[in-house]
C-alpha cells in the first residue's frame, strides 16, 4: 500500500522523536549545549535519510541543513524542523523529570496549493498531531483569553495585548507545542511577533489549518512558504470565530506599542 504524504509526515515526525528520546537516554549526562547540538543533528540526519529514501525527488528545507536553491524551482518541498524547542529538550523540571514541551515538525509544501500535509510530534508526551487525522478542538470555556507564550522571553506584543484585554498567559517552549495547545483547547490563541523562520510554523500551520483553525500573519495576511528568504517572523493561530476580534486587538497593540518583531530564531529565543 502506498503511504500518503499525510501518513508519511506523521510517521517521520514520530520516528525522529524516537531518535531524539533514545539519544537523550544514551547521553543524558553530557552538557546541555552538547545535548542540544547532537539532538538537532541526529533528528536532521534521520529525516533527510528517510525523505531521501521515500521521496527522493523532493527537496528539503531544514533548520539544520544548508539551503538548496533548487527548492525554489521544485513543485514539492518538505519543510522540517528536526527539533523545535531545543532548549526544553535539554532541560529538566524541578522534580528532575525531562521537560516535554519540545517538538518535531514535518510539513509538505506544493506549488499552487501551499502546505498540503504536515505533522507535529511531541515525543516527550507520546503525542502526534497530523493532517492524516485532523483533531477536533474541544469547546472553549468562558473566561480570559488564554495565550500560549514563550516561557522565558514572551514577545513585547504580548504585553501590549494584555493592556487591551483580559489575558491569561500560558508559558511553554516550542512553537509547535504552543500551536498544538490551541488545537487541544489548553489555550485560545498563539500570537507570535518575536521572529521565526518557515520551519518554525510550517507543520504547526498545516496541522492547525487541517483542524479548522485560523492561521495568518499578525496583519491577517496569508502565510507563504518556500520563499527565497525563509524568514517568516510572525504568526497567529486561533479559532476561526475569534480571528476578527483578535486581529483587531493585534492591530491596536502594534499601533500603540513597540511590538515590532526582532530577527531571532524561535529556538534561540524561546
Amino acid at each position: 500500500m502506498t503511504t500518503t504524504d499525510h501518513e508519511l509526515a506523521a510517521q517521520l515526525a514520530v520516528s525522529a522523536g524516537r531518535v531524539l528520546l533514545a539519544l537523550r537516554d544514551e547521553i543524558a549526562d553530557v552538557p546541555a549545549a552538547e545535548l542540544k547540538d547532537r539532538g538537532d543533528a541526529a533528528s536532521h540526519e534521520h529525516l533527510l535519510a528517510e525523505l531521501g529514501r521515500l521521496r527522493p525527488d523532493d527537496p528539503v528545507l531544514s533548520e539544520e541543513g544548508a539551503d538548496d536553491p533548487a527548492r525554489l524551482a521544485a513543485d514539492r518541498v518538505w519543510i522540517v524542523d528536526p527539533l523545535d524547542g531545543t532548549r526544553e529538550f535539554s532541560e529538566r523540571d524541578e522534580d528532575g523529570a525531562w521537560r516535554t514541551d519540545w517538538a518535531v515538525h514535518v510539513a509538505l509544501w506544493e506549488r499552487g496549493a501551499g502546505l498540503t500535509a504536515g505533522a507535529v510530534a511531541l515525543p516527550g508526551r507520546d503525542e502526534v498531531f497530523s493532517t492524516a487525522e485532523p483533531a477536533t478542538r474541544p469547546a472553549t470555556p468562558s473566561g480570559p483569553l488564554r495565550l500560549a507564550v514563550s516561557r522565558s522571553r514572551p514577545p513585547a506584543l504580548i504585553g501590549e495585548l494584555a493592556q487591551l484585554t483580559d489575558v491569561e498567559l500560558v508559558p511553554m517552549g516550542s512553537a509547535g507545542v504552543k500551536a498544538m495547545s490551541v488545537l487541544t483547547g489548553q489555550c485560545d490563541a498563539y500570537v507570535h511577533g518575536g521572529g521565526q523562520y518557515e520551519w518554525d510554523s510550517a507543520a504547526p500551520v498545516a496541522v492547525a489549518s487541517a483542524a479548522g483553525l485560523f492561521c495568518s500573519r499578525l496583519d491577517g495576511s496569508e502565510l507563504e512558504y518556500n520563499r527565497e528568504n525563509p524568514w517568516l517572523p510572525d504568526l497567529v493561530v486561533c479559532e476561526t470565530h475569534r480571528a476578527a476580534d483578535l486581529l483587531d486587538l493585534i492591530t491596536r497593540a502594534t499601533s500603540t506599542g513597540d511590538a515590532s518583531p526582532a530577527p531571532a530564531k524561535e529556538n534561540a529565543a524561546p
Side-chain angles (χ1 to χ4, degrees):
M1 179 183 294
T2 301
T3 301
T4 69
D5 292 323
H6 302 285
E7 294 167 339
L8 179 59
Q11 291 172 11
L12 291 177
V14 169
S15 61
R18 289 176 181 149
V19 169
L20 286 161
L21 289 171
L23 176 72
R24 197 173 60 180
D25 288 342
E26 179 185 345
I27 60 170
D29 295 330
V30 303
E34 181 179 347
L35 184 55
K36 294 177 195 175
D37 290 345
R38 292 179 64 175
D40 277 331
S43 184
H44 169 76
E45 290 166 5
H46 173 80
L47 291 172
L48 255 64
E50 288 300 288
L51 285 168
R53 183 174 68 87
L54 298 167
R55 296 291 191 271
D57 296 329
D58 295 346
V60 180
L61 173 63
S62 169
E63 180 180 18
E64 304 305 325
D67 191 1
D68 181 359
R71 67 177 173 81
L72 298 174
D75 290 331
R76 293 164 47 93
V77 178
W78 292 88
I79 302 175
V80 305
D81 188 343
L83 175 50
D84 184 69
T86 310
R87 174 174 175 170
E88 284 71 26
F89 171 72
S90 69
E91 290 184 347
R92 296 178 186 266
D93 289 325
E94 292 181 357
D95 62 2
W98 289 108
R99 294 191 65 90
T100 63
D101 48 347
W102 51 277
V104 177
H105 298 175
V106 178
L108 174 65
W109 172 91
E110 295 187 81
R111 187 173 303 281
L115 299 173
T116 56
V120 176
L122 311 185
R125 302 175 183 177
D126 194 23
E127 294 178 333
V128 61
F129 302 88
S130 84
T131 54
E133 296 181 7
T136 301
R137 191 184 190 282
T140 302
S142 59
L145 179 67
R146 298 168 300 162
L147 288 178
V149 298
S150 295
R151 53 185 280 260
S152 60
R153 223 174 76 176
L157 170 62
I158 299 302
E160 301 296 337
L161 286 174
Q163 298 296 316
L164 299 173
T165 190
D166 188 11
V167 168
E168 176 185 339
L169 304 183
V170 185
M172 61 188 79
S174 166
V177 172
K178 296 185 194 82
M180 294 306 98
S181 75
V182 182
L183 192 56
T184 62
Q186 180 186 2
C187 294
D188 299 314
Y190 172 32
V191 178
H192 185 84
Q196 289 183 339
Y197 289 84
E198 290 186 11
W199 44 75
D200 291 307
S201 66
V205 165
V207 172
S209 298
L213 297 183
F214 173 85
C215 302
S216 78
R217 298 197 60 178
L218 291 182
D219 62 1
S221 62
E222 182 180 358
L223 292 148
E224 298 180 2
Y225 294 88
N226 196 36
R227 298 160 308 143
E228 182 175 3
N229 182 352
W231 177 244
L232 189 54
D234 49 84
L235 173 67
V236 177
V237 179
C238 67
E239 290 177 287
T240 300
H241 71 84
R242 290 181 180 272
D245 289 343
L246 184 55
L247 290 174
D248 178 64
L249 277 174
I250 293 169
T251 298
R252 292 161 57 195
T254 53
S255 64
T256 58
D258 181 16
S260 57
K265 288 185 180 181
E266 175 77 10
N267 284 343

